[in-house]
Amino acid sequence: MDLSHIPQLKHSNGNNFFLLSGPCAIEGEEMALRIAEHIVEVTDKLRIPYVFKGSFKKANRSRVDSFTGIGDEKALKILRKVSETFKVPTVTDIHVPEDAKMAAEYVDVLQIPAFLVRQTDLVVAAAETNKVVNLKKGQFMSPESMKHAVKKVIETGNEQAMITERGSMFGYQDMIVDFRGIPTMQQYAPVVLDVTHSLQQPNQASGVTGGRPALIGTMARAGIATGVDGIFMETHFDPANAKSDGANMLDLSLLEKLLTDLVALRKVVNEMS
């Protein structure tokens, strides 16, 4: 995959990691623009290639009364407004093949959720839009098996695929990242480390996913040291009141310090390689 295929991606010639970051879900226009403005300011300062992330709907929910979105078209239009306002690319999840063509009208990268990455029709539909496709590794899949997901994209004639590591199930209610899998998956496509979902504690009795956000910095630094190509990080100015995945998001106020540390670490890693 060539990062130059992502429209409006800035700072891509600096040998830095790239960042996919934003709220878990689009809750409204004001919150999306507020989060995007802050991240754009920080990533421009640190010269980090940046893609704004926001789900236009959340289909994978434990409880039927969980927040799923504000309306598909409404949320997608907000993603477009973020892109137009700040001149940055955007990424969103899709859940069924019909989502692919619709979302591709508004965003630059289509993301396949981890639970759905083996759904051939979904992956192929995303690839056939000729958008960059971000394949989140299933919690139940080995690093080696992700080559088949990448192959599904490539066989459509679209070579713009990347893989996001987001941990593997450890028992019923915890996630573990096996960093040995990162160089393995880099044989197939660029690899991103999701430093927030990999700290989830799913399947809680309450039906609300828990998390360990205090370890986001630890996970991110470990990923940069391992040589990941990109970092995926969900963030919110009020995680405790976020409508989705607040338990494992980074508080937006902590973002600049963490990214500053990661850029410094990346420079050291580059000098060693």
Side-chain angles (χ1 to χ4, degrees):
M1 181 192 132
D2 186 346
L3 285 179
S4 67
H5 284 80
I6 302 178
Q8 301 191 93
L9 189 70
K10 297 180 286 185
H11 315 304
S12 58
N13 58 353
N15 202 21
N16 209 346
F17 61 92
F18 61 94
L19 177 70
L20 284 67
S21 186
C24 178
I26 299 297
E27 302 169 11
E29 182 176 303
E30 187 278 334
M31 66 82 69
L33 293 173
R34 178 177 172 183
I35 293 170
E37 181 177 28
H38 184 79
I39 304 177
V40 168
E41 179 181 345
V42 172
T43 53
D44 279 347
K45 179 179 178 181
L46 297 173
R47 299 190 62 78
I48 298 171
Y50 171 55
V51 181
F52 177 83
K53 183 269 168 186
S55 296
F56 76 95
K57 69 178 174 184
K58 301 298 296 182
N60 300 329
R61 314 302 288 155
S62 296
R63 289 169 39 166
V64 71
D65 60 347
S66 295
F67 173 79
T68 58
I70 60 174
D72 294 356
E73 188 175 11
K74 184 177 180 181
L76 287 167
K77 285 182 176 179
I78 291 171
L79 284 163
R80 176 185 283 169
K81 184 163 185 178
V82 167
S83 181
E84 292 173 348
T85 301
F86 300 107
K87 304 296 185 290
V88 294
T90 54
V91 54
T92 199
D93 309 83
I94 61 172
H95 301 88
V96 294
E98 293 76 21
D99 285 347
K101 186 175 181 180
M102 174 179 65
E105 296 292 323
Y106 296 90
V107 302
D108 304 293
V109 180
L110 298 179
Q111 181 167 284
I112 308 299
F115 283 120
L116 302 175
V117 75
R118 288 188 63 180
Q119 298 295 102
T120 300
D121 289 349
L122 178 62
V123 173
V124 170
E128 288 179 341
T129 67
N130 290 318
K131 297 287 185 177
V132 173
V133 180
N134 183 24
L135 300 159
K136 300 202 82 174
K137 183 178 78 65
Q139 302 93 320
F140 44 85
M141 293 177 68
S142 69
E144 291 81 3
S145 66
M146 284 302 295
K147 66 184 175 183
H148 302 297
V150 173
K151 187 177 180 181
K152 290 176 185 179
V153 175
I154 292 174
E155 287 190 347
T156 70
N158 181 352
E159 298 186 356
Q160 306 310 313
M162 54 184 166
I163 301 169
T164 292
E165 167 64 62
R166 51 95 73 239
S168 299
M169 287 299 298
F170 186 76
Y172 289 116
Q173 295 177 329
D174 208 357
M175 308 293 299
I176 292 293
V177 172
D178 182 352
F179 287 92
R180 298 174 300 176
I182 290 172
T184 296
M185 292 187 292
Q186 283 175 324
Q187 297 175 62
Y188 320 133
V191 174
V192 178
L193 176 62
D194 182 339
V195 302
T196 46
H197 289 95
S198 58
L199 293 167
Q200 280 185 332
Q201 294 179 312
N203 301 320
Q204 299 296 316
S206 65
V208 178
T209 297
R212 305 182 69 186
L215 294 176
I216 290 172
T218 300
M219 187 67 67
R221 287 189 290 271
I224 295 297
T226 307
V228 294
D229 301 286
I231 294 290
F232 179 107
M233 184 188 310
E234 289 186 341
T235 183
H236 197 288
F237 50 80
D238 187 10
N241 290 302
K243 294 184 178 180
S244 178
D245 276 2
N248 54 270
M249 278 199 278
L250 181 75
D251 191 299
L252 190 63
S253 65
L254 304 176
L255 182 73
E256 182 169 2
K257 174 62 168 63
L258 176 56
L259 291 180
T260 300
D261 290 348
L262 297 183
V263 168
L265 181 58
R266 174 66 176 229
K267 289 180 179 177
V268 174
V269 172
N270 287 343
E271 290 170 0
M272 295 174 64
S273 58

